[in-house]
Amino acid sequence: MAKVKIIYWSGTGNTAAMAAAIAEGAKEAGAEAELITAETAGAADVQDAKAIALGCPSMGAEQLEETIMEPLMEELDGVISGKTVVLFGSYGWGSGDWMRDWENRVSSDGASVWNGEGIIANNAPDDDALDACKSAGRDLAGLA
C-alpha cells in the first residue's frame, strides 16, 4: 500500500485541518496517510518518499515558523531533490509572500511543487481550500 507522509506545523489548528484533509484525500485514493508534526520530523521521514506534503502557516513578516519549521526545512533542503512536494498553510495577514518564497525554495532544492503552487487559506480553511487539500492527497497517493 502506498504511504503518504504529511509533515506540518500548526499554531492555531488551521494548518492542522489542512493536513487532515490531505490525509483524507490520500485515504480515499487507497493510500495510508501518516501525519507527522514538524516537532518530531526529520530528514529520515522523507528520505525514501517520492512525494510528500509540507505545511506551515505564515508567521511574523510572512515567513515560516522560525524555531521548529525553519530548522526542519534547513534539514530537508538537502534531501527533497527529485521529489514532488505539496506545500500548504494558512495566513492571517499579508498577501501570501511566504508561500511564494517557500515554493521558490523547494524548487531551488530540486523538488517539484505539486500543481505549481502551494495551497493557502486565509485564516480557517474554507471548503475550496479543503477540497484542494483532498485533491492533493489523492494525487500524492498516486505518486507514493
Side-chain angles (χ1 to χ4, degrees), residues 6-10 13 15 25 29 33 53 55 58 68 83 87 89 99 101 116 125 137:
I6 305 154
I7 300 170
Y8 69 96
W9 185 90
S10 186
T15 300
S58 172
I68 297 168
K83 300 180 187 312
L87 298 175
M99 183 58 73
D101 292 343

Side-chain angles (χ1 to χ4, degrees), residues 4-5 22 38 59-60 65 76 79 87 105 109 120 124 137 139:
V4 173
K5 295 195 177 195
I22 293 170
M59 301 296 290
E65 189 280 328
L76 297 181
V79 296
L87 298 175
R105 178 181 188 170
D109 287 339
I120 60 175
D139 284 355

Side-chain angles (χ1 to χ4, degrees), residues 18-139:
M18 297 173 81
I22 293 170
E24 184 180 336
K27 290 175 186 174
E28 287 173 1
E32 179 183 344
E34 183 179 2
L35 291 164
I36 306 167
T37 61
E39 294 88 347
T40 64
D45 291 306
V46 304
Q47 198 78 35
D48 296 327
K50 295 178 186 171
I52 58 170
L54 297 171
C56 184
S58 172
M59 301 296 290
E62 288 212 63
Q63 61 200 30
L64 296 177
E65 189 280 328
E66 293 180 296
T67 62
I68 297 168
M69 194 66 186
E70 179 57 37
L72 174 62
M73 276 307 302
E74 289 172 6
E75 186 178 343
L76 297 181
D77 283 337
V79 296
I80 61 174
S81 180
K83 300 180 187 312
T84 298
V85 180
V86 170
L87 298 175
F88 64 98
S90 64
Y91 68 103
W93 60 90
S95 62
D97 286 340
W98 108 98
M99 183 58 73
R100 287 184 288 279
D101 292 343
W102 201 9
E103 293 162 359
N104 290 334
R105 178 181 188 170
V106 166
S107 294
S108 294
D109 287 339
S112 298
V113 176
W114 174 82
N115 213 23
E117 63 185 10
I119 304 167
I120 60 175
N122 190 343
N123 293 308
D126 61 14
D127 288 342
D128 289 340
L130 293 174
D131 287 344
C133 289
K134 288 177 189 175
S135 178
R138 287 189 292 272
D139 284 355

